[in-house]
mmCIF file of all heavy atoms in Angstrom:
data_model
loop_
_atom_site.group_PDB
_atom_site.id
_atom_site.type_symbol
_atom_site.label_atom_id
_atom_site.label_comp_id
_atom_site.label_asym_id
_atom_site.label_seq_id
_atom_site.Cartn_x
_atom_site.Cartn_y
_atom_site.Cartn_z
ATOM 1 N N LEU K 1025 -73.911 41.375 37.915
ATOM 2 C CA LEU K 1025 -73.621 42.740 37.479
ATOM 3 C C LEU K 1025 -74.726 43.690 37.923
ATOM 4 O O LEU K 1025 -74.515 44.878 38.087
ATOM 5 C CB LEU K 1025 -73.459 42.777 35.965
ATOM 6 C CG LEU K 1025 -72.258 41.945 35.490
ATOM 7 C CD1 LEU K 1025 -72.260 41.834 33.977
ATOM 8 C CD2 LEU K 1025 -70.952 42.515 35.976
ATOM 9 N N GLY K 1026 -75.893 43.066 38.115
ATOM 10 C CA GLY K 1026 -77.017 43.827 38.652
ATOM 11 C C GLY K 1026 -77.176 45.185 37.998
ATOM 12 O O GLY K 1026 -77.215 45.280 36.784
ATOM 13 N N LYS K 1027 -77.231 46.155 38.852
ATOM 14 C CA LYS K 1027 -77.444 47.483 38.304
ATOM 15 C C LYS K 1027 -76.160 48.278 38.310
ATOM 16 O O LYS K 1027 -76.143 49.486 38.099
ATOM 17 C CB LYS K 1027 -78.498 48.219 39.151
ATOM 18 C CG LYS K 1027 -79.866 47.598 38.957
ATOM 19 C CD LYS K 1027 -80.943 48.454 39.591
ATOM 20 C CE LYS K 1027 -82.314 47.829 39.393
ATOM 21 N NZ LYS K 1027 -82.849 47.243 40.636
ATOM 22 N N SER K 1028 -75.060 47.594 38.613
ATOM 23 C CA SER K 1028 -73.794 48.321 38.685
ATOM 24 C C SER K 1028 -73.450 48.908 37.323
ATOM 25 O O SER K 1028 -73.953 48.474 36.291
ATOM 26 C CB SER K 1028 -72.673 47.399 39.152
ATOM 27 O OG SER K 1028 -72.252 46.589 38.063
ATOM 28 N N SER K 1029 -72.563 49.855 37.356
ATOM 29 C CA SER K 1029 -72.211 50.531 36.109
ATOM 30 C C SER K 1029 -71.462 49.595 35.180
ATOM 31 O O SER K 1029 -71.399 49.807 33.978
ATOM 32 C CB SER K 1029 -71.343 51.756 36.420
ATOM 33 O OG SER K 1029 -70.181 51.341 37.097
ATOM 34 N N LEU K 1030 -70.891 48.495 35.764
ATOM 35 C CA LEU K 1030 -70.194 47.530 34.919
ATOM 36 C C LEU K 1030 -71.096 46.985 33.821
ATOM 37 O O LEU K 1030 -70.644 46.592 32.761
ATOM 38 C CB LEU K 1030 -69.721 46.356 35.778
ATOM 39 C CG LEU K 1030 -68.393 46.528 36.528
ATOM 40 C CD1 LEU K 1030 -68.148 45.321 37.398
ATOM 41 C CD2 LEU K 1030 -67.254 46.708 35.520
ATOM 42 N N ARG K 1031 -72.353 46.935 34.144
ATOM 43 C CA ARG K 1031 -73.318 46.348 33.231
ATOM 44 C C ARG K 1031 -73.312 47.053 31.865
ATOM 45 O O ARG K 1031 -73.667 46.452 30.850
ATOM 46 C CB ARG K 1031 -74.713 46.407 33.858
ATOM 47 C CG ARG K 1031 -75.692 45.550 33.122
ATOM 48 C CD ARG K 1031 -76.985 45.373 33.897
ATOM 49 N NE ARG K 1031 -77.980 44.772 33.034
ATOM 50 C CZ ARG K 1031 -77.956 43.491 32.659
ATOM 51 N NH1 ARG K 1031 -77.040 42.687 33.115
ATOM 52 N NH2 ARG K 1031 -78.890 43.001 31.859
ATOM 53 N N ASN K 1032 -72.894 48.277 31.915
ATOM 54 C CA ASN K 1032 -72.817 48.993 30.634
ATOM 55 C C ASN K 1032 -71.675 48.504 29.762
ATOM 56 O O ASN K 1032 -71.627 48.750 28.568
ATOM 57 C CB ASN K 1032 -72.624 50.490 30.888
ATOM 58 C CG ASN K 1032 -73.799 51.039 31.672
ATOM 59 O OD1 ASN K 1032 -74.930 50.548 31.506
ATOM 60 N ND2 ASN K 1032 -73.523 52.021 32.516
ATOM 61 N N TYR K 1033 -70.739 47.844 30.409
ATOM 62 C CA TYR K 1033 -69.555 47.424 29.644
ATOM 63 C C TYR K 1033 -69.447 45.913 29.489
ATOM 64 O O TYR K 1033 -68.875 45.418 28.535
ATOM 65 C CB TYR K 1033 -68.280 47.938 30.337
ATOM 66 C CG TYR K 1033 -68.329 49.419 30.598
ATOM 67 C CD1 TYR K 1033 -68.636 49.925 31.850
ATOM 68 C CD2 TYR K 1033 -68.126 50.316 29.526
ATOM 69 C CE1 TYR K 1033 -68.709 51.283 32.072
ATOM 70 C CE2 TYR K 1033 -68.204 51.673 29.743
ATOM 71 C CZ TYR K 1033 -68.495 52.169 31.022
ATOM 72 O OH TYR K 1033 -68.570 53.499 31.220
ATOM 73 N N LEU K 1034 -69.997 45.197 30.467
ATOM 74 C CA LEU K 1034 -69.813 43.747 30.465
ATOM 75 C C LEU K 1034 -71.147 43.041 30.408
ATOM 76 O O LEU K 1034 -72.149 43.547 30.889
ATOM 77 C CB LEU K 1034 -69.084 43.303 31.750
ATOM 78 C CG LEU K 1034 -67.757 43.977 32.061
ATOM 79 C CD1 LEU K 1034 -67.216 43.447 33.378
ATOM 80 C CD2 LEU K 1034 -66.762 43.744 30.939
ATOM 81 N N SER K 1035 -71.136 41.846 29.847
ATOM 82 C CA SER K 1035 -72.355 41.050 29.893
ATOM 83 C C SER K 1035 -72.247 39.956 30.932
ATOM 84 O O SER K 1035 -73.240 39.492 31.466
ATOM 85 C CB SER K 1035 -72.653 40.451 28.520
ATOM 86 O OG SER K 1035 -71.674 39.512 28.173
ATOM 87 N N SER K 1036 -71.043 39.495 31.213
ATOM 88 C CA SER K 1036 -70.883 38.498 32.267
ATOM 89 C C SER K 1036 -69.486 38.599 32.845
ATOM 90 O O SER K 1036 -68.551 39.049 32.176
ATOM 91 C CB SER K 1036 -71.123 37.088 31.730
ATOM 92 O OG SER K 1036 -70.134 36.756 30.796
#
Side-chain angles (χ1 to χ4, degrees):
Chain K
L1025 296 171
K1027 291 190 180 107
S1028 78
S1029 59
L1030 276 176
R1031 193 168 169 73
N1032 299 328
Y1033 307 101
L1034 306 178
S1035 67
S1036 65

